[in-house]
Amino acid sequence: GNAMRGSITFADILKCTVKVTQASHLVALPPFILSMPEVHTLALCSNKLLTTPTGLGTLANIQFLDLSDNHMKVLSDEVGELSLLTHLSVARNELTELPPSLLRIRKLESLDFSSNKISHLPSLGFFQLMHTMNASSNKLAELSLSELSPSLTWLDARDNKLTSLDNGLATRCASLSTLLLSTNKLALLPPALPPPLHFLDCCNNRLKECPFHIGRLKHLAVLLLDKNPIESLTFLRPDA
């Protein structure tokens, strides 16, 4: 129909990539997609979905799924049936939680649930392959170690309600190179941070001091501390 026109090209279908975005105004999964079990990339962003489309779990070969910019209040258990999924985005929806069934996706590498209303997380540390997590613009008051994959290299937790970070962060996320924490309520940073850290953003928090151990981070190239009530800066020299 008119809603589908211009959204999908023949070339997309040949490559097993289906994009049904923006002008489509979808509220459900089009039946023709369910007849394409070979689909590995599915983008249903910028539509009017209120929940995970029924039948999604039957598309067992999906590796990349984009459900961002919809109106979803619930992410159903069907997502957990996508055992080959490596990249999932549910950004900019109205979710208040992530379902425990998500933990069945053992191959997940990248998860974006930014700009939702999530206040608590399941044990996302279960994901041994996850290198990227975008948790920004939610209502998280804490990030426990059990919620962080040990494989993370990029973590965005900006614009939440974090008051502290677990002291074991450096050990748990030993490969972390980018840590974005601006616009939270952090008064202190952990006594140690991951050695590979390259980019650290702590803007707009409640830090009164910058811990001296940051000077030990030999790979740190960008340190952002503006909009904090910091009274003094004392860094330990890298060679100390």
Side-chain angles (χ1 to χ4, degrees):
N2 291 336
M4 300 293 296
R5 187 170 53 203
S7 298
I8 302 171
T9 68
F10 184 63
D12 284 331
I13 294 175
L14 288 179
K15 291 183 291 187
C16 302
T17 297
V18 177
K19 301 176 182 178
V20 187
T21 60
Q22 263 176 336
S24 306
H25 303 302
L26 289 180
V27 294
L29 199 61
F32 81 92
I33 294 180
L34 296 176
S35 65
M36 299 172 62
E38 72 280 7
V39 169
H40 61 66
T41 298
L42 179 60
L44 299 176
C45 48
S46 302
N47 280 288
K48 295 186 177 180
L49 298 174
L50 298 179
T51 186
T52 316
T54 302
L56 184 66
T58 64
L59 301 176
N61 289 310
I62 289 184
Q63 298 173 37
F64 297 82
L65 177 61
D66 188 351
L67 297 173
S68 61
D69 293 293
N70 278 283
H71 303 283
M72 294 193 303
K73 298 180 184 296
V74 176
L75 192 61
S76 76
D77 288 341
E78 276 202 84
V79 172
E81 298 173 21
L82 304 176
S83 60
L84 299 182
L85 197 64
T86 60
H87 294 73
L88 172 63
S89 176
V90 290
R92 296 175 297 282
N93 276 282
E94 299 173 27
L95 301 174
T96 56
E97 63 180 0
L98 296 176
S101 60
L102 198 66
L103 302 180
R104 301 204 300 262
I105 310 174
R106 296 178 179 271
K107 296 187 176 183
L108 201 61
E109 298 176 10
S110 175
L111 176 61
D112 184 351
F113 54 91
S114 59
S115 299
N116 278 281
K117 302 175 182 179
I118 296 171
S119 58
H120 296 88
L121 297 176
S123 299
L124 300 180
F126 172 83
F127 295 116
Q128 297 297 308
L129 302 178
M130 185 182 294
H131 53 72
T132 301
M133 186 169 87
N134 190 343
S136 63
S137 299
N138 276 283
K139 297 183 177 182
L140 298 173
E142 63 176 355
L143 273 178
S144 69
L145 296 186
S146 66
E147 296 164 352
L148 299 175
S149 167
S151 300
L152 281 177
T153 61
W154 193 90
L155 173 60
D156 188 347
R158 292 175 294 176
D159 190 20
N160 275 284
K161 298 181 179 182
L162 300 177
T163 56
S164 64
L165 295 176
D166 196 287
N167 287 346
L169 180 67
T171 303
R172 174 68 176 182
C173 300
S175 300
L176 197 63
S177 62
T178 298
L179 180 56
L180 308 177
L181 299 169
S182 65
T183 315
N184 276 285
K185 299 178 180 180
L186 296 171
L188 292 171
L189 291 177
L193 290 169
L197 207 58
H198 175 82
F199 192 113
L200 177 59
D201 179 2
C202 296
C203 295
N204 196 23
N205 275 280
R206 299 177 180 179
L207 300 174
K208 292 185 177 181
E209 61 180 19
C210 185
F212 73 92
H213 65 76
I214 283 184
R216 287 193 183 276
L217 298 173
K218 297 182 179 181
H219 301 285
L220 191 63
V222 178
L223 174 61
L224 304 178
L225 294 170
D226 55 299
K227 296 184 180 178
N228 277 286
I230 293 177
E231 298 172 356
S232 64
L233 292 175
T234 304
F235 294 111
L236 186 69
R237 289 174 52 191
D239 56 351

